[in-house]
Structure formats: structure tokens, C-alpha cells
Amino acid sequence: MSWTRDQKHVTIAAYLGWTLDAFDFFLTVFILKDIAAEFHTEVSDVSFAIMLTLIMRPLGALVFGRIADRFGRKPTLMFNIILYSLLEFLSGFSPNLVVFLVLRALYGIAMGGEWGVGAALTMETIPAKSRGVVSGLLQAGYPSGYLLAAIVFGLLYEHIGWRGMFFVGVIPALLVLYVRSSVPESPAWSALDKTVKRANLWGTIGSHLKLSIYAIVLMTCFNFFSHGSQDLYPTFLREQLKFDPHTVSVITIVLNIGAILGGLLFGMISEKIGRRYAICIAALIALPVLWLWAFSTTPVMLALGAFLMQISVQGAWGVIPVHLNEISPDAIRATFPGLVYQLGNLFAAVNGPMQSKIAEAHGNDYATVMATVIGIVAIVIAVLIFFSPERRGVDLTQSSGNRS
């Protein structure tokens, strides 16, 4: 099926929006040690910033999702991108830990809004048969951002320091120019009548309560899966294994190449075998590669383990944008997927401080902590996904009432 020019622009914009959002987020994970040294505190105290960012993301999903459901996807996406870029830039001026934590919390609000708005805009615009592939592409934006952050860290960190890393994070604001000039509004949103656009959020969620609770639990597990395998991996390489910044950067680049390939691969597979089976298979791949990923000692073997682990993690995640949009009530599609995703982030936000505290208490043994978390969560996701409805290819313009 051929794509229109508008469909291509929407997909590119949504991919870049999430890529650059993730880029700004992951810049922080490479410099936790340096921020802790400047502010005379522990890495675990600084990692609280990651927790605050994740905690505040549901608020952003709620606020920006409701704005997008009422006033449109495109203007909301533009404002979102400007806001997270500005807050990233300001983080580089933090005079102390408290100010830094406040700015990262505010950044979390902006970050939390982008995913749901961008995913809704895309899934409502592209051909139905392309959703699985595009879902994998959109979610690949997350490791693409991590990859960019790794490259910037490897090339620029030693020259610009940790504050300069945040200054680089203002670059995503330029994406707004592209969105403004080339991206159209969602045709599905434009087709909804005014009464649907003003649908009561909590009333709609209440009429889909079982689905909402299930989706939040599922996304909590998914966020433990991703953040448990990614956020402290650079710290593990630097603190436990004592690798230099260049080696850390190379391993992280390899890791994210695996993540991008995993998202694309399982997004495509989900169009053939369904969303649930694709997620289950991807999650279970984590189990046989746990030892290689966490307990290898050479850079080459760790890079291989990280590559395979992220094929699993982001392979499962690659199906999530389309799956959540397909099971979402139409009237709150810009809100529901992002909100349940970010509420999952909220409940999984303890991961960073929890892993770092336990690791520090056991001689900086990050490997055992990370492997334990990922092993448990991979099994839970593989089982839990089969409690979800399978709605591959459903018409996103039909009444949500017909799909409740």
C-alpha cells in the first residue's frame, strides 16, 4: 500500500520527537557519577532525578493528552517539544542538587506528554496494515535517542563536561519548525464530532475500568523491563567494571543498535502473528542472554550480551505503541495510551534508586541486581500479555463503544 506525503511526514515527525525526547532523558544516565561528584553526594542520590522524571511523566501524559484530545495532536506536539528542550537546557545551569532535581521533575512532565500525542497522531494517520511496522519504528525512537546520547557522551563529554551535555539537549527544539511546516493534523481526530472530543476522561476510563487497570499493570512491568536494563547500565560499566568513557560509549552504542533492530523486527512480526505472541516471544529472549549481558567481564562479550538483551527488551516494546492505540477508547486515544504508559513509569520509578542502593550495599554489584529484576519481569510480561485483548488491525475511526 502506497503512502501519502502527509503520512510520511507524520511518521518522521513522531519518530524524531520520541528520539530527541529520549536523547534528552538518557544524557543524564551517563553523567550521574559526575553530577554526584560536583554536588558532593552519592550516585544513588543523583539517580533520584531519574525517579522524579519518571514519577512526573504520568502528569504530562494526562495534561498534554487531554489538550491533544480537545484541541488537536499537532499544536500539542509542538508545544511539548519546545518545553522539554527548554527544561533540558536549564538543567545544565543547576547550582545544586535540589535545583537539579526540581528541573528534572519538570522535565518529566514535558517528556510524559510527547509519547502519547505522537503515537496517537501517527496511528490515526497511517494505513492500518502498516501499524505494526511503524509501531516498531516509533518505539525504536527510544533507543535511537539513547544511541545519540551515547555518541554525544563518547565524542563531547571530555570537552564540554556534564553541564555542556545538557546544553546540547536544546537542539530538539528545532524539530518544531519541521512539524509546523510539514505535519498535518490527525484525520481521525478531525473526523470526531465535538461531543466525542469533549468526552469525560474519568467517565470513559470508568466504563473501561478492567482494561485500564490491566494496561497500567502491564506497563509497570514493561517499564521495569526497559529502565531495569538500561538506566544504570552505563553506571554498572563505569563503577563495577571500571571501564573508561570511550568503552562505555561503544558498548552503549552496540546496545542501542540491538534495541532499534529489535523494535523494528518484532513490530513487523506482530503484523503476522499478532501483538500478544510477538510480545511474549520477545520478552522470553531475555532469559537465555541474562548471564552474557550481566556477568561477562570483557567489553566484547558485554557488548554482545547488551545487543541481544535489547533485541528482547525493545522487541517487546516495539509492539506497544500500536497495541495500546488499538485497545484504547477512541475519544481519549491521545490520553489513554500515554497515561497508562506513564502510570506504569510511576510505579516502576523506584527502579533506579532501588537498584543503585542495593548495588552500593553489596560492593557496587550492579550485575546481580539488574539480572534479578530483568529475569523476573521477562517471565511476568510473557504470561501477563495473554490477558490482553488482541485487536490487530482494528478500525481506529469506529466508535469506542463498539470495542468496549
Side-chain angles (χ1 to χ4, degrees):
M1 180 180 293
S2 61
W3 281 29
T4 67
R5 184 176 181 180
D6 284 349
Q7 289 169 338
K8 294 175 182 178
H9 282 310
V10 165
T11 302
I12 292 170
Y15 167 75
L16 290 177
W18 191 224
T19 295
L20 296 173
D21 200 349
F23 167 71
D24 280 0
F25 173 76
F26 278 112
L27 285 175
T28 306
V29 308
F30 287 94
I31 51 179
L32 294 175
K33 178 179 179 180
D34 309 281
I35 299 171
E38 174 144 346
F39 294 151
H40 308 291
T41 187
E42 300 295 328
V43 170
S44 57
D45 295 326
V46 180
S47 71
F48 189 63
I50 296 175
M51 178 177 174
L52 284 175
T53 298
L54 300 182
I55 286 174
M56 298 303 286
R57 278 166 65 167
L59 179 58
L62 176 61
V63 172
F64 290 104
R66 293 310 289 151
I67 293 172
D69 279 328
R70 177 69 67 87
F71 300 106
R73 315 324 193 191
K74 177 179 175 177
T76 308
L77 183 63
M78 292 170 60
F79 179 65
N80 233 166
I81 294 170
I82 290 173
L83 187 59
Y84 75 63
S85 301
L86 176 61
L87 289 166
E88 181 78 2
F89 180 72
L90 293 176
S91 297
F93 291 101
S94 302
N96 53 53
L97 182 59
V98 173
V99 173
F100 179 75
L101 293 178
V102 170
L103 287 169
R104 299 318 290 171
L106 293 174
Y107 169 79
I109 297 175
M111 184 181 189
E114 195 281 336
W115 185 90
V117 176
L121 173 60
T122 309
M123 294 302 159
E124 291 173 343
T125 303
I126 63 172
K129 291 183 178 180
S130 300
R131 287 185 202 144
V133 175
V134 173
S135 178
L137 175 65
L138 290 186
Q139 202 56 36
Y142 195 69
S144 296
Y146 199 171
L147 175 61
L148 284 177
I151 293 172
V152 169
F153 177 72
L155 295 178
L156 300 180
Y157 164 75
E158 293 181 342
H159 305 289
I160 64 177
W162 73 264
R163 294 185 185 275
M165 296 282 283
F166 286 114
F167 298 153
V168 172
V170 77
I171 292 175
L174 298 175
L175 177 61
V176 169
L177 300 176
Y178 173 67
V179 175
R180 185 177 185 276
S181 63
S182 302
V183 175
E185 184 53 84
S186 157
W189 179 85
S190 299
L192 292 176
D193 60 44
K194 292 181 180 180
T195 57
V196 175
K197 291 175 183 176
R198 294 172 182 168
N200 180 274
L201 172 65
W202 304 116
T204 305
I205 288 178
S207 64
H208 299 80
L209 187 59
K210 290 183 179 179
L211 174 65
S212 301
I213 293 173
Y214 167 79
I216 293 169
V217 172
L218 179 67
M219 297 316 298
T220 299
C221 295
F222 261 89
N223 280 293
F224 267 106
F225 202 31
S226 56
H227 291 288
S229 64
Q230 296 168 348
D231 292 1
L232 291 179
Y233 205 69
T235 302
F236 155 65
L237 297 174
R238 296 183 73 185
E239 286 288 285
Q240 183 173 342
L241 300 182
K242 309 300 181 184
F243 289 161
D244 61 85
H246 176 73
T247 302
V248 173
S249 176
V250 171
I251 292 174
T252 310
I253 289 171
V254 173
L255 172 161
N256 283 291
I257 292 173
I260 293 168
L261 293 176
L264 294 173
L265 174 63
F266 281 94
M268 289 188 289
I269 289 174
S270 76
E271 281 298 333
K272 302 294 184 181
I273 66 175
R275 316 307 186 198
R276 297 184 301 181
Y277 283 110
I279 288 172
C280 177
I281 293 170
L284 290 178
I285 290 174
L287 300 180
V289 302
L290 269 178
W291 188 266
L292 187 65
W293 168 70
F295 299 105
S296 298
T297 56
T298 66
V300 172
M301 296 308 291
L302 283 162
L304 177 60
F307 177 85
L308 295 173
M309 176 58 72
Q310 290 308 315
I311 284 182
S312 168
V313 174
Q314 289 302 320
W317 263 104
V319 188
I320 285 298
V322 64
H323 186 57
L324 290 184
N325 272 271
E326 286 176 338
I327 67 176
S328 171
D330 293 311
I332 57 171
R333 188 174 297 114
T335 306
F336 181 87
L339 183 59
V340 298
Y341 171 12
Q342 303 302 355
L343 283 173
N345 252 324
L346 173 63
F347 296 123
V350 298
N351 177 79
M354 177 190 74
Q355 284 187 325
S356 57
K357 284 286 187 183
I358 296 174
E360 289 171 358
H362 293 82
N364 284 336
D365 184 5
Y366 288 89
T368 301
V369 179
M370 291 190 301
T372 301
V373 170
I374 297 307
I376 293 172
V377 174
I379 295 172
V380 173
I381 288 175
V383 174
L384 192 60
I385 191 59
F386 287 102
F387 290 90
S388 174
E390 175 67 65
R391 291 177 177 148
R392 174 179 39 154
V394 69
D395 183 359
L396 295 185
T397 63
Q398 75 178 45
S399 170
S400 60
N402 295 332
R403 299 193 278 111
S404 60

